[in-house]
């Protein structure tokens, strides 16, 4: 079993609503016409129609709520998870790790020289660098993994079914790809690099401890880079 497998499936409210309405209509159609007065049958059919309208409205409302929740979970600039939503995913993964004794790791990423980009090229170029890094991370992790923006120039990557050794190899590969990417078009060549830290989601650890470990290792790597 993987962490992805352990997540509960989602069902569409509209499908459930349509199935219930069809079942009600089928039951009514099976009753012989001469056993129910015409006026009563008409009244029942009218009520079924009203019920279906209510079910449809409820399904549409639930779909809209889901859409708004999705928007609330995304960073407006990068279209990745925001801090709140990402930490919720880590909490969920940690609960699954504790229950099923699976492995998962957190990668804490910080952009090294975003201030230089902002100072030399402007904040629009800085935003372009952040967007490029977010896209590079998203494009180079698995579908079952998650990436979120933890702060202005900080990212978190949740790697499911990954021990620290695997997570470190993934983080190293991401750093290489990010460093190799070109600067924004029309800008001076100020290449973006990242520092990162790794922390395993251990069964006896709390979310705050995991973040602290990864953050501490990331800052140590940043100091070593000078």
């Amino acid at each position: 079993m993987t962490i992805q497998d352990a997540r509960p499936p989602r069902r569409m409210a509209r499908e459930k609503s349509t199935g219930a309405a069809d079942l009600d209509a089928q039951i009514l159609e099976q009753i012989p016409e001469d056993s129910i007065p015409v006026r009563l049958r008409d009244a029942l059919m009218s009520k079924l129609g009203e019920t279906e309208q209510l079910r449809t409205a409820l399904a549409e409302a639930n779909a809209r709520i889901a859409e708004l929740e999705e928007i609330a979970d995304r960073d407006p600039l990068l279209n990745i998870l925001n801090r709140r939503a990402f930490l919720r995913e880590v909490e969920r993964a940690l609960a699954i790790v504790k229950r099923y004794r699976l492995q998962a790791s957190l990668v804490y990423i910080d952009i090294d020289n975003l201030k230089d980009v902002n100072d030399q090229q402007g904040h629009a170029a800085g935003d372009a660098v952040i967007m490029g890094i977010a896209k590079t991370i998203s494009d180079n992790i698995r579908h079952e993994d998650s990436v979120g923006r933890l702060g202005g120039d900080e990212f978190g990557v949740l790697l499911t079914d990954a021990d620290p050794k695997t997570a470190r190899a993934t983080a190293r590969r991401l750093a290489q790809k990010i460093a190799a990417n070109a600067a924004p078009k029309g800008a001076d060549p100020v290449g973006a690099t990242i520092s990162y830290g790794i922390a395993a989601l251990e069964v006896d650890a709390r979310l705050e401890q995991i973040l602290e470990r990864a953050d501490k290792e990331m800052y140590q790597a940043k100091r070593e880079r000078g």
Side-chain angles (χ1 to χ4, degrees):
M1 175 182 289
T2 66
I3 289 178
Q4 190 75 6
D5 295 333
R7 294 177 179 175
R10 297 180 179 178
R11 291 188 172 89
M12 297 297 294
R14 183 181 294 275
E15 293 178 357
K16 294 174 66 177
S17 172
T18 302
D22 290 344
L23 181 59
D24 291 341
Q26 290 174 9
I27 292 174
L28 186 59
E29 289 173 356
Q30 290 176 3
I31 301 175
E33 292 188 6
D34 57 359
S35 65
I36 301 179
V38 174
R39 293 178 62 183
L40 178 56
R41 177 178 289 274
D42 291 344
L44 289 173
M45 292 299 295
S46 176
K47 289 297 182 182
L48 282 177
E50 293 174 4
T51 301
E52 174 57 15
Q53 290 178 358
L54 290 173
R55 286 173 175 155
T56 300
L58 179 59
E60 291 174 350
N62 287 336
R64 180 56 177 163
I65 290 172
E67 180 182 355
L68 292 174
E69 288 176 345
E70 177 71 13
I71 293 173
D73 284 348
R74 312 298 289 186
D75 182 273
L77 176 65
L78 307 181
N79 195 30
I80 60 176
L81 296 177
N82 57 29
R83 181 182 179 90
R84 177 183 61 83
F86 179 77
L87 294 184
R88 186 180 64 230
E89 287 297 304
V90 178
E91 285 271 29
R92 184 179 300 165
L94 183 58
I96 294 172
V97 165
K98 291 179 177 180
R99 181 173 181 179
Y100 297 105
R101 295 300 190 267
L102 301 176
Q103 291 186 318
S105 295
L106 172 69
V107 182
Y108 202 114
I109 294 174
D110 182 85
I111 303 176
D112 292 324
N113 51 346
L114 185 63
K115 185 178 184 301
D116 294 338
V117 176
N118 286 330
D119 291 345
Q120 297 178 32
Q121 303 175 28
H123 287 277
D127 286 346
V129 168
I130 296 174
M131 292 167 65
I133 288 176
K135 186 176 188 306
T136 298
I137 296 173
S138 298
D139 289 347
N140 289 278
I141 59 176
R142 301 166 300 174
H143 175 73
E144 60 266 30
D145 299 328
S146 302
V147 56
R149 189 179 188 181
L150 299 179
D153 58 354
E154 297 177 334
F155 298 88
V157 182
L158 173 62
L159 301 174
T160 62
D161 308 309
D163 59 18
K165 181 178 179 180
T166 301
R168 197 168 301 281
T170 299
R172 188 181 306 114
R173 177 169 52 83
L174 290 173
Q176 292 170 349
K177 287 184 175 293
I178 289 169
N181 283 347
K185 291 183 179 180
D188 295 331
V190 178
T193 60
I194 63 170
S195 298
Y196 58 84
I198 309 295
L201 273 64
E202 299 174 344
V203 296
D204 59 346
R206 300 189 307 274
L207 173 63
E208 295 78 10
Q209 295 173 318
I210 295 168
L211 288 171
E212 183 179 357
R213 291 171 188 170
D215 183 56
K216 184 177 180 179
E217 183 177 299
M218 181 272 292
Y219 273 106
Q220 179 62 33
K222 188 179 286 289
R223 284 194 294 268
E224 292 174 358
R225 294 175 68 94

